[in-house]
Amino acid sequence: MAGTGDDRTQVWYLIGTLAVGGTERTLVDLVNGLDRDRFAPTVWTIAEPGPLADEIDDTVPVRSLGAASKVDPRPALRLARELRRERPAILQSFLYFDNVLARLVGQVSPGTTVVTGVREVPESLPPHRDLVDRATLGLSDHVVSNSEAGAEWIIDRGVDSDRVSVVRNGRDVDAYDVPEPEGLRAELGLGDGPIVGTVGRLVERKGHHDLLDAWPAVLEAHPDAELVLVGDGPERDALRAHASRLGIRESVHLLGRRDDVPELLALFDLFTFPSHYEGLPGALLEAMCAGLPIVTTPVDGCAELVTDGEHGVHVRPRAPAPLGGAIADLLADPERAAALGRAAVQRARDEFGVDSMVGRMAALYEEVR
């Protein structure tokens, strides 16, 4: 930062808000893990900071641009003013809106390296988003993807491969090694049967409707099984209505947004993740950290985390019948399920620890600044 006498690399992070989500969790872990002798991070949120802001280390400034809406121009003007005044070495963003803002506003500070992100590999973008993304993509100095699939996607959109890096998500594996909390099962209204769970925003692409369509076949084989959906989003009411139409409402529990995911994972006997497309999903990585047997679609980064037959079971996306069959079969074979869970947590520990993620990102900062 100009004029402060601070020789550390100033890194500014820009994100919409620090809501509970995989990208936001990754950002919190990254910021908290950076070596303070080498880096001086600041987190900027476009809207209000959100609940995960409380988990950021007290030494890290969290500053809000105070956006009232997505079309409010004042946050962009404020960020441009602050960038021009403080001139950080790096401005890094992660998701669509903050990527576009970082690319545009970053131009007022030529000495700042603009690093934008790829966090998912969409099947398609709405035409207006596609147009804006392509028009501004060339303003990124570097692009970081959390998966090889995302790197390939962004290169196909016209970014030179030498301006693209892959830094996979990481998690604190030990944080997910927790016992089942006493009384939580009863608090949630769960019985003593097997619990199948998933964690993620309730949006169409996460495949929750496929999971509900698959659930009657699971109940036929395991009548006392219960399905737990953790997360919130626009599909919540539609999912509740879908479960009622299928006659499975009593065995399906929509918990909404929760702050106790490690404890909830400790309740699960099996984790399923039937997403249609992804980046490198944090929820799936967290299930690996918890040592759960997994049934997932092999889309994009999911296949980079879970090898079929080694760390979990793959089923094709949008295929309720194979999904239900794989879940039922794994519940019926606890020895195999336990072996898959052990292999999953070992892989998470070996390859996807938070220290590894932080180290790779720090090395990238040294390279691009």
Side-chain angles (χ1 to χ4, degrees):
M1 192 178 296
T4 67
D6 189 343
D7 293 332
R8 296 176 299 165
T9 299
Q10 307 289 326
V11 185
W12 282 13
Y13 297 98
L14 178 66
I15 195 162
T17 184
L18 288 168
V20 176
T23 298
E24 294 82 1
R25 166 55 57 194
T26 295
L27 172 56
V28 170
D29 289 345
L30 171 59
V31 168
N32 287 345
L34 281 178
D35 182 353
R36 294 294 186 274
D37 291 334
R38 297 168 56 201
F39 301 99
T42 297
V43 177
W44 286 90
T45 62
I46 298 173
E48 291 306 308
L52 287 187
D54 293 337
E55 298 188 26
I56 290 181
D57 189 276
D58 291 342
T59 64
V60 178
V62 178
R63 303 164 73 177
S64 172
L65 296 171
S69 70
K70 292 177 180 177
V71 296
D72 184 355
R74 290 172 296 178
L77 295 174
R78 181 185 176 193
L79 182 60
R81 184 173 63 249
E82 297 296 333
L83 271 174
R84 193 164 45 236
R85 183 172 69 87
E86 301 190 34
R87 300 195 303 276
I90 294 168
L91 173 64
Q92 182 172 3
S93 58
F94 300 85
L95 301 170
Y96 174 77
F97 286 105
D98 39 284
N99 282 339
V100 172
L101 181 57
R103 292 167 190 161
L104 294 173
V105 176
Q107 305 313 300
V108 306
S109 179
T112 297
T113 299
V114 176
V115 179
T116 58
V118 178
R119 309 298 299 183
E120 64 184 27
V121 185
E123 295 171 309
S124 63
L125 287 173
H128 66 285
R129 283 200 180 194
D130 185 56
L131 179 64
V132 172
D133 187 63
R134 289 183 184 275
T136 60
L137 195 52
L139 300 177
S140 298
D141 295 306
H142 205 85
V143 179
V144 176
S145 172
N146 63 356
S147 69
E148 294 288 350
E152 293 173 7
W153 180 76
I154 204 69
I155 290 169
D156 287 343
R157 288 177 72 78
V159 179
D160 292 340
S161 59
D162 60 358
R163 292 170 48 217
V164 178
S165 298
V166 175
V167 178
R168 292 187 174 90
N169 294 344
R171 289 292 186 269
D172 178 357
V173 180
D174 291 335
Y176 295 87
D177 182 16
V178 299
E180 177 177 327
E182 184 176 353
L184 183 57
R185 185 181 291 255
E187 175 190 325
L188 299 175
L190 300 170
D192 295 327
I195 298 175
V196 176
T198 189
V199 179
R201 271 184 49 79
L202 302 184
V203 292
E204 191 275 336
R205 71 177 180 88
K206 292 292 185 178
H208 295 102
H209 287 283
D210 304 331
L211 181 54
L212 293 183
D213 286 332
W215 193 243
V218 178
L219 289 177
E220 185 175 347
H222 304 276
D224 58 346
E226 298 187 75
L227 178 62
V228 172
L229 278 61
V230 181
D232 209 346
E235 289 295 307
R236 184 184 180 95
D237 291 342
L239 288 166
R240 185 180 286 110
H242 191 173
S244 295
R245 286 194 301 272
L246 291 170
I248 58 173
R249 185 68 187 90
E250 289 188 1
S251 67
V252 176
H253 306 264
L254 284 81
L255 302 189
R257 184 178 70 82
R258 301 278 300 201
D259 298 323
D260 56 347
V261 169
E263 289 75 17
L264 289 168
L265 293 176
L267 292 178
F268 296 174
D269 295 283
L270 183 148
F271 188 88
T272 184
F273 199 74
S275 195
H276 299 167
Y277 63 86
E278 279 295 333
L280 194 93
L284 188 56
L285 177 54
E286 289 165 8
M288 295 173 68
C289 293
L292 287 170
I294 291 167
V295 176
T296 183
T297 52
V299 295
D300 309 315
C302 296
E304 296 175 34
L305 285 171
V306 174
T307 302
D308 188 29
E310 187 173 345
H311 315 103
V313 176
H314 287 175
V315 294
R316 67 181 185 275
R318 297 185 173 87
L323 176 62
I327 292 171
D329 288 349
L330 208 49
L331 288 177
D333 192 348
E335 186 174 326
R336 180 182 179 223
L340 291 173
R342 288 192 298 270
V345 72
Q346 189 59 53
R347 184 167 200 223
R349 193 174 296 280
D350 291 345
E351 300 183 38
F352 297 99
V354 68
D355 290 344
S356 176
M357 174 189 69
V358 172
R360 289 171 182 166
M361 196 70 80
L364 177 67
Y365 295 156
E366 299 288 4
E367 178 184 334
V368 303
R369 73 186 183 96

